Amino acid sequence: MNAALLRLILAQICIHGCMTGMRMATPLLALREGYSAAAVGMLLALFALTQVFLSLPAGRYADRNGLKRPLILSVVAASSGAGLAVVFPLYPVMCVSALLTGGAAGTALIALQRHVGRMAHNKDDLRKVFSWLAIGPAISNFLGPFAAGLLIDYAGGEAASDVGFRAAFVLLALMPLAAWFWARTVQELPPVQVSGAGKKATAWDLVESRGFRRLLLLNWALSSCWDVHTFVVPILGHERGLPASVIGSILGAFAIAAAVIRMLIPVLMRHMAEWQVVLGAMVSACILFIAYPLMPGAWSMGICSVFLGIVLGSVQPMVMSMIHQITPPERHGEALGLRMMAINGSSVLMPVLFGSLGTVVGVSALFWAVGVLVGSATRLPWLIGHQDMPKGEWESH
């Protein structure tokens, strides 16, 4: 790993950690204030709503302007969103904070993924750089919720006090500023030369590609696993009387496991194709989601979260590698934006659906439903690997 990649990973951890911390803290505050599971689901959906509308424009903006312009806009939006919750820790304001921090994290992630993908020279490099970059969200998924949970429990002298929540929001508002500190010295890459025909292309051209469509469907099924885990664990923990720090630790165990497996991917999966890794992960996720609601306490939930982190953590570098091999280099940002728009469109609707169904049938049924969904999509990676992936050695442009 070179110095530039390390700086980008640290920047990603800071700006994404702001969003993940807000995504854990704001539902707990809403639950404390007596809001229903459906209202919490609506709040969580807003973290993805901005990304639905911004992802495609953000991808095109990154294709035109590179790394730093999208990143500085993201820093300003994320800090402003968390800062609003410090001053006005109210449900409507938290909804605005969710929109700002969610959109900022998505825009920054697209710019970073595009930049890192262009740093690679072949398929092995793609796996390595995306494995390292994917460690960022895994760490921030631990750092943001865990740090926020500690402040919520202890900063105010008693658990879940107003002072504790405000302290958590202050910390989260400062994290995006650190992201710019790390990324400011990274050098921009030369722009990609675009042919005249490429300028006339539309997003629909990418969607018409069979392989890209399959990747979107596959990614949507797997993103549902992340959504239901992020949404249901705080509610399940709240129902079982677990404190915020324990809930944050369970989510953090998932994140740590995902980070560890991503560090080991270049070594452990050197002789496996991307589609084989994804297929194994989907089968394992199906089994784990069926078993998760049967876990009796915090320790068993944490162990199940670790295994889920290992399984789902292995997927993103493989998917990102496949996207960069299937799509034209001058449209990587646009392809990444379409991917993020698709999975976040699901993330807007799914938490609302989760909240409504959870109120009626209970949270256990949500785990089982997602397990069945992932199991039904296990044929997609096999089809991609045998019909859609380029046969020759991939070269960067």
Side-chain angles (χ1 to χ4, degrees):
M1 184 195 306
N2 58 39
L5 180 57
L6 177 59
R7 285 182 170 274
L8 293 176
I9 292 170
L10 291 172
Q12 185 184 29
I13 290 170
C14 293
I15 198 165
H16 193 260
C18 170
M19 188 272 290
T20 57
M22 293 292 291
R23 197 170 58 188
M24 195 279 288
T26 53
L28 290 178
L29 181 55
L31 289 170
R32 193 202 69 173
E33 295 299 313
Y35 287 92
S36 67
V40 172
M42 179 66 71
L43 176 60
L44 283 171
L46 294 177
F47 283 95
L49 180 62
T50 321
Q51 298 181 35
V52 175
F53 298 102
L54 282 184
S55 292
L56 185 56
R60 290 171 173 165
Y61 187 77
D63 281 333
R64 294 192 307 268
N65 296 282
L67 172 68
K68 291 188 178 179
R69 288 187 183 180
L71 191 59
I72 189 62
L73 292 174
S74 300
V75 167
V76 172
S79 289
S80 300
L84 284 173
V86 176
V87 182
F88 306 107
L90 307 170
Y91 182 84
V93 177
M94 289 191 292
C95 290
V96 176
S97 298
L99 290 170
L100 288 171
T101 56
T107 300
L109 184 59
I110 290 171
L112 289 164
Q113 288 172 339
R114 176 187 176 276
H115 186 88
V116 167
R118 292 193 59 216
M119 293 168 60
H121 300 288
N122 52 51
K123 286 201 287 188
D124 286 340
D125 279 353
L126 275 176
R127 288 190 183 191
K128 289 177 182 177
V129 297
F130 281 120
S131 295
W132 284 115
L133 186 66
I135 294 170
I139 294 175
S140 60
N141 278 331
F142 166 76
L143 183 63
F146 182 70
L150 287 177
L151 290 173
I152 290 168
D153 279 348
Y154 301 112
E158 62 180 9
S161 66
D162 287 340
V163 174
F165 277 105
R166 287 178 187 270
F169 295 145
V170 168
L171 173 65
L172 297 173
L174 295 174
M175 290 179 69
L177 301 178
W180 182 247
F181 170 81
W182 291 115
R184 74 191 193 284
T185 59
V186 175
Q187 295 296 315
E188 291 277 10
L189 296 174
V192 178
Q193 298 299 320
V194 183
S195 64
K199 294 179 181 178
K200 299 177 183 178
T202 64
W204 187 249
D205 298 330
L206 291 174
V207 178
E208 286 181 333
S209 167
R210 181 184 62 186
F212 189 71
R213 286 200 310 273
R214 287 172 173 170
L215 270 175
L216 289 181
L217 288 172
L218 178 154
N219 215 162
W220 170 74
L222 290 166
S223 70
S224 297
C225 297
W226 292 80
D227 290 338
V228 75
H229 187 263
T230 301
F231 172 71
V232 176
V233 166
I235 295 178
L236 189 62
H238 183 74
E239 288 182 354
R240 296 180 177 182
L242 301 179
S245 56
V246 173
I247 296 172
S249 297
I250 292 172
L251 294 173
F254 174 91
I256 291 174
V260 170
I261 192 62
R262 285 168 177 175
M263 287 189 289
L264 297 177
I265 279 175
V267 176
L268 296 179
M269 302 174 184
R270 183 179 302 167
H271 302 294
M272 296 179 67
E274 289 91 344
W275 70 268
Q276 293 172 326
V277 177
V278 175
L279 176 59
M282 295 180 79
V283 172
S284 301
C286 174
I287 296 171
L288 287 167
F289 267 89
I290 292 173
Y292 203 112
L294 306 178
M295 300 297 105
W299 279 105
S300 56
M301 289 171 64
I303 292 170
C304 204
S305 287
V306 168
F307 283 112
L308 268 177
I310 293 172
V311 167
L312 297 179
S314 66
V315 170
Q316 183 178 340
M318 302 297 112
V319 171
M320 300 305 300
S321 175
M322 289 190 285
I323 285 178
H324 276 73
Q325 293 177 61
I326 288 175
T327 58
E330 70 274 9
R331 304 187 69 188
H332 284 167
E334 188 175 5
L336 294 169
L338 277 172
R339 167 188 169 271
M340 187 167 288
M341 182 176 69
I343 63 176
N344 282 287
S346 170
S347 295
V348 170
L349 298 176
M350 297 299 274
V352 178
L353 180 62
F354 294 158
S356 301
L357 289 178
T359 302
V360 177
V361 301
V363 295
S364 297
L366 300 181
F367 278 105
W368 296 331
V370 172
V372 172
L373 171 66
V374 175
S376 66
T378 52
R379 183 170 168 78
L380 288 174
W382 188 92
L383 292 173
I384 293 171
H386 286 80
Q387 298 180 6
D388 303 315
M389 293 292 289
K391 302 302 181 183
E393 180 71 8
W394 181 87
E395 295 293 334
S396 68
H397 298 272

